[in-house]
Amino acid sequence: MTAGSFRASVERMFNRAAALVDLPPGLEEKIRVCNSTYTVRFGVRLRGAIHTFVGYRSVHSEHMEPVKGGIRYALSVNQDEVEALAALMTYKCALVEVPFGGSKGGLCIDPREWDVDELERITRRFTYELSRRSLISPSQNVPAPDMGTGEREMAWMADAYKRLHPEDINAKACVTGKPRAGGGIAGRVEATGRGLQYALREFFRHPEALKRAGLSGDLSGKRIVVQGLGNVGFHVAHFLQTEDDCEIVTVIERDGAVSAKGGLDIAALREHIRETGGVRGFPGAEFRENGLEALEDECDVLIPAAIESVIHADNAGRIRAKLILEAANGPITAEANALLRDRGTVVIPDLYANAGGVTVSYFEWVKNLSQIRMGRLEKRHEEARNHLLVKELQRLSADAGFEWTLSDNFKSAYLRGADEIELVRSGLDDTMREAYTQMQTVWFEDDRVDDLRTAAYVVAVRRIAKVYESLGL
Ligand code: NAD
């Protein structure tokens, strides 16, 4: 591990918090270390030649099983990165009370270089290699999508696993983030972006926290800069624009940044990226070739949603956002984190902010194990009880001599039983609110804790320590 690497950064952040928690001798080291990392090199015959691919699956902590974490497809994937991301998963799951240990995987590949059939063959072969070592399994290790992967890859992995384990009735639960038709859950694709929206909404419910960030009021009209308009960046930007009246003033992508006073139309911009491959040329917007410069734009909230370490010691001093919502994993290095803290910039940390994905993955895993859609048993029963209540109230009011009618809006909102998507969003909202409260309590009440990230780690480390203690370690 090199000083200044992503993993070193995560460890520094962990060490800072662990020093504030009273742990039995040796437990800090046990929690910090990555238990194992498997490296695999496998060949696939494509385009008339055998191509060798390098993949990783790292297991950071098995204090709870299965372990959980995404699979990333990118040329930049390496052992250090996978181990850092696996460690983050351990702390993230503990913080949001998802009963999993931490894991992460990756394949060194640029998915844009291969066509769909080729990607499918590569993914199925990678799944076979993982399965041989129980690194994909409903009870031991459950991958999910990450950068460069999505529903399609998860469906291939689930199918490949099922073929290898036809007797396993829980086979579908071997990965999450699957399409609905393949055993997925409503709201998984949007989950990380949705969780980020709920996290920001929760932050804005606390005037003292807002004051610390130099912000006030509600989300309406807040100017937001987003880096990376992929799955996570698109959903959070789209929800904040369409449901909270925020202005997404700048979007930074690989080819540069586009800005517009009053905000960019995020749905249209995503379509433009799909058609042209980048943000350049988006109608009505100003384009800058050096996208990274836009991270330094004056705004209320900066949302890095692309890759790690984009805010580092060299540019941290020039960041003018009041609040940074970490959508990507590890977008701020440990050095930059300290500089930002000293300048009073508030950071809502990755292990909390982007936990929506793993939270809804947990719901999907539970759904797969229970073999039933969420709400299927209760929905009509709930509706019937609501109708009964309203009928009785109407009868009582008629008996008392006054006419009482319900508006159509109320009826459609109240009388209807909840669908799976509503239950998922409700569970996610609750998770984000609860975890924020835990974090903020530590942030406000412990004088030694000077930022939300340290508070998040303190909550997570305390919880993990309790599990280890209960195991007798
Ligand atoms: P994605 O592949 O869907 O999107 C990434 C986007 O970032 C793409 O639009 C890409 O063009 C852009 N990008 C890549 N490099 C860039 C650069 N140097 N500058 C500007 N833009 C760049 O990936 P995603 O699933 O949205 O993941 C994004 C981040 O969120 C990652 O750090 C990932 O680990 C994290 N995350 C994802 C999930 C999830 O559920 N997908 C959950 C938690 C955290």
Side-chain angles (χ1 to χ4, degrees):
M1 179 175 56
T2 49
S5 72
F6 182 22
R7 189 153 72 88
S9 236
V10 172
E11 288 203 358
R12 262 182 69 177
M13 292 168 182
F14 168 85
N15 292 344
R16 207 166 177 271
L20 306 178
V21 182
D22 191 17
L23 295 171
L27 188 53
E28 180 178 331
E29 177 68 2
K30 175 70 205 88
I31 297 174
R32 182 182 24 244
V33 297
C34 184
N35 288 4
S36 61
T37 300
Y38 167 64
T39 307
V40 60
R41 294 175 189 86
F42 59 89
V44 185
R45 184 178 290 280
L46 299 161
R47 303 178 190 177
I50 292 175
H51 294 260
T52 302
F53 297 92
V54 183
Y56 302 92
R57 188 76 181 160
S58 178
V59 175
H60 175 259
S61 174
E62 289 145 304
H63 69 290
M64 285 200 180
E65 284 187 305
V67 293
K68 190 93 186 72
I71 295 219
R72 180 175 282 197
Y73 281 7
L75 282 176
S76 54
V77 162
N78 60 69
Q79 182 168 347
D80 185 271
E81 178 187 84
V82 183
E83 291 187 357
L85 290 165
L88 270 178
M89 283 304 296
T90 297
Y91 310 133
K92 191 180 297 186
C93 290
L95 178 66
V96 295
E97 295 187 277
V98 162
F100 296 140
S103 182
K104 200 79 182 191
L107 196 59
C108 300
I109 182 177
D110 180 350
R112 293 167 303 181
E113 279 179 13
W114 302 96
D115 66 34
V116 176
D117 290 348
E118 291 167 337
L119 274 176
E120 179 173 350
R121 287 180 62 194
I122 298 163
T123 302
R124 285 180 182 275
R125 182 59 205 274
F126 188 30
T127 309
Y128 171 73
E129 296 296 334
L130 294 177
S131 175
R132 289 202 321 161
R133 286 152 186 92
S134 300
L135 289 168
I136 175 169
S137 138
S139 59
Q140 285 173 276
N141 197 322
V142 183
D146 193 73
M147 233 168 80
T149 57
E151 286 189 334
R152 186 182 64 182
E153 288 72 18
M154 298 306 113
W156 292 333
M157 293 185 92
D159 186 59
Y161 181 85
K162 177 75 188 155
R163 282 162 196 257
L164 291 167
H165 304 272
E167 75 295 344
D168 185 351
I169 194 167
N170 293 319
K172 275 201 178 90
C174 73
V175 291
T176 57
K178 302 176 292 291
R180 286 291 291 286
I185 195 166
R188 175 58 185 88
V189 176
E190 67 167 40
T192 307
R194 186 60 83 183
L196 284 152
Q197 176 196 30
Y198 291 160
L200 199 56
R201 282 184 180 174
E202 183 57 21
F203 186 85
F204 270 77
R205 286 191 189 101
H206 299 273
E208 172 57 26
L210 278 179
K211 209 168 118 200
R212 289 186 183 202
L215 289 163
S216 60
D218 58 21
L219 275 168
S220 174
K222 291 290 180 291
R223 290 156 312 137
I224 297 187
V225 173
V226 178
Q227 183 194 33
L229 211 65
N231 176 31
V232 175
F234 165 73
H235 282 103
V236 64
H238 181 61
F239 294 146
L240 289 174
Q241 174 168 73
T242 55
E243 298 173 12
D244 296 295
D245 296 325
C246 294
E247 289 176 8
I248 314 298
V249 288
T250 295
V251 167
I252 308 163
E253 257 293 334
R254 291 177 205 259
D255 63 328
V258 278
S259 308
K261 282 206 180 80
L264 300 150
D265 178 338
I266 292 303
L269 179 56
R270 189 173 213 207
E271 212 34 56
H272 178 82
I273 296 173
R274 207 169 270 157
E275 279 165 15
T276 68
V279 291
R280 184 195 290 266
F282 184 59
E286 185 196 317
F287 176 76
R288 272 175 285 176
E289 187 123 15
N290 185 352
L292 287 178
E293 250 175 42
L295 288 170
E296 301 162 19
D297 285 1
E298 213 255 308
C299 63
D300 296 306
V301 188
L302 171 61
I303 308 183
I307 49 168
E308 54 264 15
S309 309
V310 292
I311 301 174
H312 40 75
D314 295 338
N315 65 359
R318 296 192 299 271
I319 300 291
R320 285 182 290 164
K322 296 186 173 89
L323 178 66
I324 302 178
L325 179 66
E326 286 189 322
N329 284 306
I332 302 177
T333 65
E335 292 82 5
N337 195 57
L339 291 168
L340 291 167
R341 190 174 49 232
D342 292 347
R343 297 175 63 220
T345 311
V346 172
V347 176
I348 305 183
D350 48 6
L351 71 159
Y352 165 68
N354 69 28
V358 73
T359 302
V360 176
S361 274
Y362 167 46
F363 301 158
E364 180 178 334
W365 181 77
V366 170
K367 173 185 177 177
N368 292 153
L369 295 186
S370 62
Q371 314 277 354
I372 189 165
R373 185 185 74 236
M374 298 205 164
R376 183 167 176 182
L377 294 181
E378 309 89 342
K379 180 177 170 173
R380 302 297 170 191
H381 178 66
E382 194 189 334
E383 270 181 23
R385 284 171 64 92
N386 291 346
H387 275 281
L388 204 66
L389 178 69
V390 165
K391 254 175 91 178
E392 185 61 5
L393 287 173
Q394 279 173 329
R395 188 189 65 75
L396 288 171
S397 64
D399 284 356
F402 59 89
E403 273 296 297
W404 199 69
T405 40
L406 296 171
S407 72
D408 287 345
N409 279 352
F410 175 82
K411 273 196 207 161
S412 64
Y414 180 74
L415 293 178
R416 216 168 47 79
D419 283 328
E420 186 170 81
I421 184 73
E422 287 153 325
L423 293 171
V424 164
R425 286 181 184 154
S426 152
L428 176 59
D429 196 9
D430 181 59
T431 302
M432 299 311 289
R433 290 191 200 203
E434 280 294 316
Y436 182 81
T437 307
Q438 305 278 332
M439 253 178 3
Q440 187 179 265
T441 304
V442 174
W443 186 29
F444 285 0
E445 291 180 7
D446 188 333
D447 292 342
R448 303 166 306 165
V449 173
D450 48 10
D451 62 9
L452 272 171
R453 191 190 311 279
T454 310
Y457 273 95
V458 165
V459 174
V461 171
R462 279 187 189 144
R463 290 214 175 112
I464 297 165
K466 276 208 179 105
V467 177
Y468 273 119
E469 280 165 33
S470 74
L471 294 174
L473 271 179

